[in-house]
């Protein structure tokens, strides 16, 4: 199942903030964590993640620092700030409202039994 780009983009802020609420992390590890949490349904790329990280840093919701990894490579770590935790709480409230709304809609549809007809059936003459 591929998740469309609009939904991935809309969920990127709360996902990044939630991952950083677990602990400081760096780009590649964040991408791996998203893949793990989504069961492989969400495949993020560097080109998608770094604009989100830069935006959150510009908004003061995360902070970055450079460290030397065990491999000897420099690695940029990100940490959620107090403003980021406030934003995460707000995002969570909003996504819970969206989730509740969709669950109500899905439940109503399953009770009513959606009428799904193939397009070709609508065009067939009756009695044919």
């Amino acid at each position: 199942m591929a998740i469309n780009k609009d939904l991935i983009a809309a969920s990127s802020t709360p996902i990044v903030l939630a991952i950083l609420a677990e602990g400081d992390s760096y780009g590649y590890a964040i991408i791996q964590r998203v893949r793990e949490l989504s069961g492989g349904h969400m495949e993020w790329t560097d080109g998608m993640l770094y604009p989100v990280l830069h935006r959150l840093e510009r908004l003061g919701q995360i902070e970055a620092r450079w460290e030397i990894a065990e491999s000897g490579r420099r690695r940029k770590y990100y940490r959620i700030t107090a403003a980021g935790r406030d934003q995460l709480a707000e995002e969570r409230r909003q996504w819970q409202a969206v989730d509740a709304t969709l669950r109500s809609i899905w439940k109503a549809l399953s009770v009513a039994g959606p009428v799904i007809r193939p397009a070709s059936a609508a065009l067939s003459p009756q009695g044919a």
Side-chain angles (χ1 to χ4, degrees):
M1 169 182 64
I3 298 175
N4 76 54
K5 289 181 178 182
D6 291 341
L7 193 52
I8 288 177
S11 61
S12 64
T13 293
I15 288 173
V16 169
L17 291 174
I19 289 171
L20 293 177
E22 294 177 326
D24 297 2
S25 193
Y26 54 94
Y28 180 75
I30 293 170
I31 289 171
Q32 294 301 313
R33 186 73 174 129
V34 169
R35 182 176 297 125
E36 175 188 333
L37 291 169
S38 70
H41 294 296
M42 297 178 83
E43 295 285 336
W44 285 15
T45 63
D46 293 353
M48 200 195 113
L49 174 63
Y50 285 102
V52 174
L53 290 171
H54 295 156
R55 180 175 47 79
L56 294 175
E57 191 175 6
R58 198 173 47 251
L59 292 171
Q61 296 173 356
I62 64 172
E63 295 174 340
R65 69 180 185 284
W66 288 99
E67 287 189 14
I68 305 296
E70 292 178 14
S71 64
R73 294 181 57 189
R74 285 176 34 126
R75 193 175 273 163
K76 195 171 189 179
Y77 281 84
Y78 297 91
R79 181 181 74 79
I80 191 168
T81 64
R85 289 186 187 281
D86 290 345
Q87 182 61 35
L88 177 58
E90 177 58 28
E91 295 271 348
R92 186 174 183 166
R93 283 188 289 273
Q94 291 181 21
W95 278 99
Q96 286 173 331
V98 170
D99 178 59
T101 302
L102 287 171
R103 286 179 189 270
S104 294
I105 291 170
W106 305 147
K107 185 176 178 181
L109 287 175
S110 68
V111 169
V115 177
I116 301 172
R117 293 185 216 152
S120 61
L123 300 175
S124 298
Q126 290 187 351

